[in-house]
C-alpha cells in the first residue's frame, strides 16, 4: 500500500514537472489555440504548485536549507520595499512574483524532486524540443527568412517571421536561439550519437537566427566550459580563433541585420538600453537602500500597472517618435539593472548572496548532467545583462526547476553517503 502511494505521488510530481516545462516553452502556442492573449499560464501554474507546497511544508514542519531561508528573506524584503515606497499592494505583490520568478521555480523544483532520473528526463525533453526547432530553422534557412511558402506550411501557429531573425518552431528568434544553444550545449557535454554533426548544425543555425544575445552568450559559455570544467586551454584558443575567423569571413551574410543599426548607435549614442541605464541610476539615487519597489521600474509589471516612475523619469520617451508599435519594447530588456533599481542595495546584496550560494551548491557534483545544469545557470545569468532572461518563463522556469531538483538530489546524496 505504501509503495503504491509512492508510485502515485511520483507520477503526479512528474506530470506537474513536465507540464510546467512544456507550458513554459509553448505558452504562446497555447494562446494561439485558445485565442486568448496575455495568458499568464506558466506563472499561474507554477505559483499554484508553489503555494500548495508552501502550505504542505508548513504543516509538516520540515527542516529547511539556507537557500530556502534566503528565498523567504528576499520575498519579505520585496514586500517591505513596496510598503516603504507606499506602492499599491497589487503592484508590489505582482512585482515580487515576477522579479523573483527564479526563486519560485527553484522552490518548486526542489519540492518536486525525487532522483537524478527526473532531472535527466527533463533535459532529454528540452533536447527533443531543441531538435524540433532546429528542424524548422533549417527549413526556414533553406527557403529564406521572408519566403511566404513556409509561413503557411512550416509555421502552423501563424507567428509572423520578419527580418529580425528566424523563429524556428518558437514564437520569437531569441527563444529559438536559446533552444538551439541548449541543443548545442547538450551534444557538447553529453554523449550523443552524431554529436559533432549535430553540434555543427546547431552552431550554423544559431548564427543564422541572428540573436545578438545568444551569439554573445555562446562565445562566453564556450570559454567558461573549456576553462573551468574541461580545463583545456588549447581548445579555448582554437574555438576562439575559429569563431573570430568565421565571423570575419561571413560577417556580411550573418550580420546584415545589424549593418545599419551599429553605425547609428556609435555615431549618435542613441541607444535605448544606455538611456535606460542612466535613468535607472537616477531612480536608484532616490531609493538607494530599498529601491523603488518591485513592479515599478523597467519590467512587465511596471508596464501593465502604468508605473508612475516611468512617467516621472520619461523612461520610454526614446520610442515616442516610432509609429510602428510592434518594435516598441515594454521593458528595458535588461534584468539586472531592472532588479537593482527595484530592490536597492540591500536587496541586491541578499540576492547575490543567494545566487553565489546556488552556484557553490551546483559545483558539488561534476557528472555530465550536473555540469550542464551549472552551465545553464551561468547562461541565464549572463543573458540577464541584455535581456529579461530571469523573468522570461521559457528560460527561468525550466532552468531553475532543474536547479531545484539538482540541489535536492545533492542533499539526498549527502544522507546516504557517510561523511
Amino acid at each position: 500500500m505504501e509503495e503504491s502511494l509512492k508510485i502515485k505521488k511520483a507520477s503526479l510530481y512528474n506530470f506537474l514537472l513536465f507540464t510546467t516545462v512544456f507550458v513554459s516553452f509553448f505558452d504562446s502556442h497555447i494562446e494561439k489555440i485558445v485565442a486568448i492573449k496575455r495568458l499568464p499560464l506558466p506563472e499561474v501554474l507554477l505559483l499554484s504548485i508553489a503555494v500548495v507546497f508552501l502550505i504542505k511544508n508548513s504543516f509538516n514542519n520540515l527542516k529547511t536549507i539556507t537557500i530556502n531561508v534566503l528565498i523567504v528573506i528576499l520575498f519579505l524584503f520585496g514586500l517591505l520595499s513596496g510598503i516603504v515606497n507606499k506602492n499599491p499592494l497589487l503592484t508590489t505583490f505582482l512585482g515580487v512574483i515576477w522579479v523573483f520568478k527564479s526563486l519560485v521555480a527553484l522552490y518548486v523544483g526542489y519540492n518536486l524532486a525525487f532522483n537524478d532520473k527526473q532531472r535527466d528526463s527533463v533535459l532529454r525533453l528540452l533536447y527533443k524540443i531543441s531538435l524540433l526547432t532546429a528542424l524548422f530553422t533549417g527549413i526556414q534557412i533553406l527557403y529564406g527568412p521572408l519566403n511566404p511558402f513556409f509561413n503557411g506550411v512550416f509555421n502552423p501557429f501563424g507567428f509572423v517571421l520578419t527580418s529580425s531573425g528566424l523563429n524556428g518552431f518558437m514564437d520569437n528568434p531569441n527563444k529559438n536561439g536559446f533552444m538551439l544553444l541548449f541543443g548545442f550545449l547538450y551534444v557538447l557535454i553529453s554523449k550523443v550519437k552524431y554529436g559533432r554533426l549535430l553540434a555543427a548544425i546547431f552552431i550554423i543555425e544559431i548564427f543564422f537566427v541572428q540573436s545578438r544575445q545568444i551569439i554573445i552568450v555562446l562565445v562566453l559559455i564556450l570559454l567558461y566550459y573549456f576553462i573551468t570544467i574541461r580545463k583545456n586551454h588549447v581548445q579555448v584558443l582554437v574555438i576562439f580563433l575559429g569563431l573570430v575567423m568565421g565571423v570575419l569571413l561571413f560577417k556580411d551574410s550573418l550580420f546584415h541585420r545589424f549593418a545599419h543599426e551599429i553605425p547609428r548607435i556609435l555615431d549618435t549614442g542613441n541607444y535605448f538600453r544606455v538611456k535606460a541605464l542612466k535613468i535607472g541610476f537616477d531612480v536608484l539615487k532616490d531609493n538607494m537602500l530599498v529601491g523603488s519597489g518591485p513592479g515599478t521600474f523597467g519590467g512587465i509589471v511596471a508596464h501593465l500597472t502604468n508605473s508612475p516612475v516611468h512617467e516621472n523619469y520619461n523612461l520610454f520617451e526614446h520610442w515616442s517618435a516610432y509609429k510602428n508599435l510592434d518594435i516598441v519594447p515594454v521593458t528595458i530588456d535588461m534584468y539586472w539593472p531592472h532588479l537593482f533599481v527595484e530592490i536597492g542595495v540591500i536587496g541586491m546584496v541578499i540576492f547575490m548572496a543567494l545566487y553565489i550560494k546556488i552556484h557553490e551548491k551546483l559545483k558539488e557534483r561534476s557528472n555530465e548532467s550536473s555540469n550542464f545544469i551549472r552551465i545553464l545557470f551561468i547562461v541565464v545569468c549572463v543573458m540577464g545583462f541584455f535581456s529579461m532572461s530571469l523573468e522570461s518563463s521559457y528560460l527561468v522556469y525550466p532552468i531553475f526547476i532543474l536547479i531545484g531538483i539538482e540541489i535536492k538530489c545533492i542533499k539526498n546524496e549527502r544522507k546516504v553517503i557517510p561523511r
Side-chain angles (χ1 to χ4, degrees):
M1 182 67 177
E2 186 177 343
E3 188 64 27
S4 175
L5 287 174
K6 284 184 178 179
I7 293 172
K8 288 180 179 179
K9 181 180 178 181
S11 298
L12 174 61
Y13 281 18
N14 285 332
F15 172 77
L16 292 172
L17 180 63
F18 286 106
T19 300
T20 303
V21 172
F22 184 85
V23 168
S24 297
F25 274 98
F26 298 116
D27 57 331
S28 296
H29 301 71
I30 296 170
E31 285 181 16
K32 288 279 187 179
I33 293 171
V34 300
I36 300 176
K37 291 185 177 181
R38 295 187 182 277
L39 185 66
L41 192 56
E43 290 80 10
V44 171
L45 178 59
L46 203 78
L47 187 60
S48 300
I49 298 171
V51 169
V52 170
F53 276 120
L54 191 63
I55 296 170
K56 175 178 176 288
N57 292 339
S58 63
F59 278 106
N60 289 341
N61 196 27
L62 297 175
K63 290 183 178 179
T64 188
I65 59 173
T66 306
I67 288 175
N68 283 345
V69 173
L70 288 173
I71 289 174
V72 172
I73 291 172
L74 269 173
F75 270 84
L76 292 175
F77 180 83
L79 294 172
L80 175 65
S81 176
I83 292 170
V84 169
N85 285 285
K86 299 179 181 179
N87 298 330
L89 185 60
L90 179 62
T91 297
T92 300
F93 176 75
L94 292 175
V96 166
I97 297 302
W98 250 258
V99 81
F100 297 141
K101 272 186 178 184
S102 61
L103 310 185
V104 177
L106 188 152
Y107 181 76
V108 168
Y110 184 86
N111 283 279
L112 287 176
F114 269 99
N115 51 44
D116 288 336
K117 290 181 180 179
Q118 257 184 329
R119 173 202 63 188
D120 294 340
S121 295
V122 174
L123 289 173
R124 284 194 296 270
L125 171 63
L126 295 176
Y127 176 59
K128 288 174 182 176
I129 294 174
S130 73
L131 289 175
L132 175 66
T133 200
L135 174 63
F136 275 72
T137 303
I139 295 171
Q140 291 168 7
I141 290 171
L142 292 175
Y143 282 93
L146 297 179
N147 191 314
F149 172 76
F150 69 83
N151 258 345
V153 179
F154 298 113
N155 191 11
F157 290 91
F159 298 119
V160 178
L161 294 165
T162 68
S163 58
S164 62
L166 301 175
N167 289 358
F169 192 71
M170 300 296 138
D171 56 289
N172 66 73
N174 287 336
K175 186 185 289 189
N176 185 33
F178 170 74
M179 286 315 301
L180 295 173
L181 176 63
F182 180 96
F184 169 73
L185 293 173
Y186 188 90
V187 299
L188 177 70
I189 297 170
S190 306
K191 294 176 182 177
V192 177
K193 194 174 183 180
Y194 307 117
R196 291 184 179 180
L197 174 62
L198 288 168
I201 291 172
F202 281 124
I203 284 285
I204 291 168
E205 291 188 351
I206 285 171
F207 280 98
F208 271 102
V209 167
Q210 295 195 50
S211 170
R212 286 169 292 187
Q213 57 185 252
I214 298 299
I215 294 172
I216 293 169
V217 170
L218 169 65
V219 176
L220 295 176
I221 290 304
L222 282 175
L223 294 175
Y224 175 86
Y225 175 69
F226 283 104
I227 291 173
T228 66
I229 296 177
R230 290 287 294 272
K231 295 181 171 60
N232 191 323
H233 297 85
V234 174
Q235 282 183 297
V236 171
L237 182 62
V238 170
I239 290 171
F240 181 74
L241 291 176
L243 286 171
V244 170
M245 289 178 63
V247 169
L248 291 175
L249 288 172
F250 301 105
K251 63 179 185 297
D252 293 335
S253 300
L254 295 173
F255 301 106
H256 63 85
R257 174 189 166 198
F258 316 125
H260 302 293
E261 185 177 358
I262 293 174
R264 175 182 62 79
I265 293 170
L266 294 176
D267 290 342
T268 65
N270 188 21
Y271 189 49
F272 175 64
R273 283 190 176 94
V274 174
K275 290 183 177 180
L277 281 173
K278 292 177 181 177
I279 293 172
F281 281 117
D282 289 339
V283 177
L284 193 61
K285 287 177 187 176
D286 298 331
N287 309 273
M288 185 65 71
L289 294 180
V290 299
S292 60
T296 59
F297 179 83
I300 187 65
V301 175
H303 166 71
L304 294 175
T305 57
N306 295 315
S307 171
V309 173
H310 288 185
E311 184 178 349
N312 294 340
Y313 288 88
N314 296 317
L315 179 60
F316 289 95
E317 185 183 19
H318 173 88
W319 302 100
S320 58
Y322 284 72
K323 296 180 180 179
N324 183 5
L325 297 179
D326 291 334
I327 67 170
V328 176
V330 296
T331 72
I332 63 170
D333 214 18
M334 297 177 290
Y335 176 78
W336 293 113
H338 151 67
L339 173 71
F340 194 12
V341 173
E342 289 197 343
I343 65 174
V345 174
I346 296 174
M348 200 67 182
V349 169
I350 301 171
F351 194 91
M352 294 312 298
L354 173 58
Y355 267 46
I356 291 169
K357 183 70 176 177
I358 291 171
H359 186 255
E360 291 302 311
K361 277 282 183 186
L362 295 177
K363 288 170 67 177
E364 291 186 18
R365 296 204 295 182
S366 58
N367 57 63
E368 287 180 355
S369 296
S370 298
N371 286 337
F372 190 25
I373 290 172
R374 178 160 43 122
I375 285 176
L376 291 176
F377 175 68
I378 300 297
V379 166
V380 75
C381 289
V382 171
M383 288 179 68
F385 287 102
F386 34 78
S387 76
M388 298 296 281
S389 61
L390 287 153
E391 286 190 10
S392 300
S393 299
Y394 74 91
L395 280 167
V396 72
Y397 284 166
I399 291 176
F400 276 84
I401 284 173
L402 283 166
I403 290 170
I405 294 173
E406 179 72 7
I407 291 173
K408 181 67 170 289
C409 290
I410 290 171
K411 181 184 177 183
N412 292 341
E413 198 173 72
R414 282 179 170 181
K415 290 180 180 178
V416 299
I417 297 176
R419 299 180 70 86

